[in-house]
Amino acid sequence: MRLTNRILIAEDEPRIASFLEKGLRASGFMTAVAKDGYEAVLMAQDEDFDLLILDIGLPGKDGWMVLEELRGQGEYLPIIILTARDEVRDKVAGLEGGADDYVTKPFRFEELLARIRVRLRDKRLPKQQEEMVLRAGNLALDLRTRQVWVGERLVKLSAREFTLAETFVRHPGQVMSREQLLSQVWGYDYDPGSNVVDVCVGYLRQKLGRDHIETVRGVGYRLRI
Ligand code: CA
């Protein structure tokens, strides 16, 4: 059995493809890139991959056609779709069309990685889900259902707020600078000068309760534990 998982990245934007390749290789995966839909289908058929990351906006055949073709041939490779933010209806269609999961662009690498790990784990060890709930203090985050509890209270967070909460919970007690939070939560697609971090922390405080996230003046924020 091959120990290293091989991931096929079907993505035509070089910036995103190389962002994915770098991140996945650093996380111990082997990668290959298909630059259009034709290549994606051929490579998925001919080579031995463990998972396909499939951009919807591909030249040649778009991601939907690739998905349909592969599933139509009985190809059971796990597939995670990358879609633009405004394609909500498409996501539902994607899951019905045989995709295993989706990630919305712009995405944070850690979020995609978590989803990849769930898919690869599902394939091998279907019952193992113990790492999928993160806890810090009285906060609990379920990474699969994206639900958050403060003690017994279930709190509704937006996707971005969830990712921000996850970043804090993964670094309890640690001061996180605005730059760190931007790169972890907003990924490659952020404007370093914007105040999105402060705004999102504000929303998170309203929802989780004021005491959880502390401002460290001139530096950033910290999750109290
Ligand atoms: Ca594209």
Side-chain angles (χ1 to χ4, degrees):
M1 194 183 82
R2 197 155 32 73
L3 288 175
T4 309
N5 286 120
R6 287 192 78 207
I7 297 183
L8 177 59
I9 302 163
E11 171 60 76
D12 58 311
E13 272 181 64
R15 185 174 61 113
I16 299 178
S18 95
F19 169 77
L20 289 173
E21 278 212 290
K22 262 189 247 159
L24 290 171
R25 286 181 179 178
S27 307
F29 295 99
M30 295 201 293
T31 57
V33 174
K35 293 185 184 62
D36 62 45
Y38 292 102
E39 247 180 44
V41 170
L42 288 178
M43 289 171 80
Q45 287 168 338
D46 294 349
E47 295 178 45
D48 183 21
F49 290 102
D50 298 292
L51 187 135
L52 167 61
I53 298 172
L54 179 61
D55 178 37
I56 288 306
L58 286 176
K61 291 174 185 169
D62 70 14
W64 300 127
M65 292 166 75
V66 172
L67 180 65
E68 198 184 324
E69 206 170 321
L70 290 176
R71 291 302 188 233
Q73 293 162 351
E75 172 60 66
Y76 293 116
L77 183 69
I79 297 177
I80 297 179
I81 281 181
L82 299 181
T83 66
R85 184 158 289 278
D86 53 357
E87 295 169 333
V88 176
R89 212 176 294 162
D90 291 356
K91 288 172 198 164
V92 178
L95 295 177
E96 283 174 357
D100 297 277
D101 206 346
Y102 62 84
V103 170
T104 312
K105 285 179 172 181
F107 57 90
R108 187 178 61 103
F109 181 74
E110 282 73 13
E111 185 191 345
L112 177 64
L113 186 61
R115 284 160 191 261
I116 289 171
R117 289 193 167 131
V118 172
R119 287 305 140 203
L120 295 174
R121 187 180 295 144
D122 277 0
K123 216 171 69 168
R124 293 196 177 156
L125 305 162
K127 293 269 146 47
Q128 293 211 347
Q129 292 169 357
E130 69 272 22
E131 295 160 43
M132 299 316 290
V133 178
L134 296 180
R135 292 171 199 280
N138 67 345
L139 299 178
L141 276 67
D142 188 323
L143 299 180
R144 280 177 321 122
T145 61
R146 317 286 287 170
Q147 287 181 314
V148 179
W149 284 266
V150 181
E152 303 281 290
R153 181 166 62 97
L154 178 62
V155 179
K156 276 208 183 309
L157 298 184
S158 71
R160 190 72 83 186
E161 290 159 4
F162 185 92
T163 308
L164 182 62
E166 182 188 340
T167 306
F168 279 121
V169 168
R170 286 187 187 277
H171 304 90
Q174 193 180 317
V175 182
M176 305 292 289
S177 70
R178 283 182 183 72
E179 292 70 28
Q180 273 174 314
L181 293 170
L182 269 173
S183 73
Q184 302 240 331
V185 178
W186 280 263
Y188 57 88
D189 209 32
Y190 66 85
D191 165 14
S194 83
N195 68 342
V196 286
V197 172
D198 309 276
V199 172
C200 199
V201 166
Y203 287 135
L204 208 52
R205 276 180 174 152
Q206 282 173 21
K207 293 184 178 180
L208 300 182
R210 294 243 143 235
D211 296 342
H212 287 93
I213 302 166
E214 188 180 6
T215 303
V216 182
R217 196 176 276 265
V219 188
Y221 296 100
R222 168 166 54 201
L223 182 71
R224 278 217 183 111
I225 42 168

